[in-house]
Amino acid sequence: MEGGRVAVRDGKAAAEPALVVTTDPVTFVEIGAGRLDPLEATLTRRLSMEGDDGAVLRCSRLLGLLP
């Protein structure tokens, strides 16, 4: 986040990011189109999240991985 706002970047971050989400382009599109469940992508390691615990939890909720 930059000043309380989310910033999406491709590649390596200039500063220490709160959250790094890693996936491939096909998985990204399949999740966005509703053809792939984010939980399945996570369990099959096609999607991974690393970083601040709070940021990982917020992103997990956003993707529907947590209530």
Side-chain angles (χ1 to χ4, degrees):
M1 289 180 45
E2 295 175 355
R5 303 185 133 213
V6 173
V8 178
R9 303 279 188 266
D10 183 23
K12 216 160 178 62
E16 187 64 34
L19 176 68
V20 175
V21 178
T22 306
T23 191
D24 61 89
V26 172
T27 300
F28 181 82
V29 170
E30 287 180 345
I31 290 170
R35 294 191 305 252
L36 177 63
D37 182 75
L39 178 59
E40 181 181 340
T42 302
L43 293 174
T44 58
R45 298 181 188 205
R46 293 175 63 185
L47 172 74
S48 68
M49 293 181 276
E50 297 178 36
D52 175 77
D53 290 342
V56 171
L57 288 173
R58 287 189 301 278
C59 187
S60 295
R61 284 190 187 99
L62 179 71
L63 293 173
L65 300 173
L66 297 173

